[in-house]
Amino acid sequence: MCGRFAITLPPDAMVQMFDATPANDLPDVPNYNVCPTNSIFTVVSGDGVRHLGPMRWGFIPHWYKKPNDGPLLINARAETVAEKPAFRAACRERRCLIPASGFYEWTKDDEDNRLPWYITREDGSPLVFAGVWQDWERDGEAFTTCAIVTTEASGPMTEIHHRMPVTVRPDDWGLWLGEEGKGAAVLMKQAPADGFEFHRVDRKVNSNRAKGPDLIEPID
């Protein structure tokens, strides 16, 4: 599961990192509380060029008659993404990268309160999630939509949640984007148990209206 994340990288840094051409309508940054249905940064590849542009987080299958005609598909399970009717074509033909600075997960205390945690890389480098995407259009509405691919959590991460996003290393970006032919399925696996760190953050991030850098600050 990945239901919230943060992105603090400037667009110029993402352009350089991915060697991508930027769109004109990129989302605002920093955003410390990226929520489903928000416009998020994504990278796709076509005709030998990578493109950094916005997509709506929340995959809309082609048979939906309106955006809310069914469940909000923010995640796609790595174990079934190639077979699920909603995702199987996108998994073969429309994969993207989704940059993030960190993401949130929740545990519960004895009183059933939701306690948020912020997860990042130990070395401070950006996270790059595996994603799938699709264009959707109906009755004058049109969106380019995406979902984050998730897999089983590993190592200490299992103390927080049993799922986590599939993260793609720089050496594998081309394979996931289809620049190096077939074989991207091998990337949909657990991340190494090491390399991640996490800390508790204030419960105000439980609200999708919360904003500001203090959302990712550790609390005692």
Side-chain angles (χ1 to χ4, degrees), residues 72-92:
L72 184 62
L73 304 178
I74 61 172
N75 294 156
R77 294 174 66 93
E79 298 87 344
T80 58
V81 66
E83 290 84 34
K84 287 287 186 180
F87 299 121
R88 61 190 177 198
C91 183
R92 292 193 305 269

Side-chain angles (χ1 to χ4, degrees), residues 102-121:
F103 65 100
Y104 299 96
E105 285 294 358
W106 281 260
T107 55
K108 289 187 176 182
D109 63 15
D110 294 338
E111 298 177 352
D112 213 34
N113 295 306
R114 297 180 73 234
L115 309 177
W117 298 76
Y118 184 62
I119 300 105
T120 59
R121 287 203 183 280

Side-chain angles (χ1 to χ4, degrees), residues 44 49 53 68 122 132 147 154 163 182 193 212:
V44 298
V49 179
N68 60 350
E122 288 179 344
V132 291
S154 60
R163 305 289 296 178
K182 299 180 180 180

Side-chain angles (χ1 to χ4, degrees), residues 183-200:
V186 300
L187 303 178
M188 293 189 290
K189 59 187 178 182
Q190 290 176 310
D194 57 355
F196 289 89
E197 64 179 14
F198 46 87
H199 57 259
R200 273 288 319 282

Side-chain angles (χ1 to χ4, degrees), residues 3-5 31-36 38 104 106 114-116 201-212 214-216:
R4 229 62 94 62
F5 66 91
N31 186 345
Y32 296 91
N33 192 9
V34 180
C35 303
N38 284 174
Y104 299 96
W106 281 260
R114 297 180 73 234
L115 309 177
V201 293
D202 196 280
R203 283 195 288 172
K204 60 187 173 183
V205 79
N206 292 357
S207 168
N208 59 13
R209 295 184 296 273
K211 298 180 180 180
D214 54 323
L215 295 181
I216 65 173

Side-chain angles (χ1 to χ4, degrees), residues 2-77:
C2 179
R4 229 62 94 62
F5 66 91
I7 179 70
T8 62
L9 289 171
D12 288 350
M14 286 184 267
V15 165
Q16 183 175 2
M17 184 171 77
F18 293 107
D19 191 19
T21 300
N24 294 324
D25 53 346
L26 293 172
D28 293 333
V29 284
N31 186 345
Y32 296 91
N33 192 9
V34 180
C35 303
T37 75
N38 284 174
S39 177
I40 65 173
F41 288 88
T42 61
V43 176
V44 298
S45 183
D47 298 323
V49 179
R50 291 180 181 173
H51 301 272
L52 177 71
M55 292 187 191
R56 178 188 185 270
W57 184 20
F59 192 98
I60 305 178
H62 64 84
W63 60 82
Y64 278 24
K65 295 180 180 178
K66 50 188 179 180
N68 60 350
D69 204 27
L72 184 62
L73 304 178
I74 61 172
N75 294 156
R77 294 174 66 93

Side-chain angles (χ1 to χ4, degrees), residues 159-197:
E159 300 172 18
I160 302 176
H161 201 276
H162 66 284
R163 305 289 296 178
M164 67 182 295
V166 171
T167 53
V168 186
R169 300 177 304 175
D171 289 347
D172 295 324
W173 290 348
L175 182 58
W176 184 254
L177 292 175
E179 298 168 347
E180 301 171 11
K182 299 180 180 180
V186 300
L187 303 178
M188 293 189 290
K189 59 187 178 182
Q190 290 176 310
D194 57 355
F196 289 89
E197 64 179 14

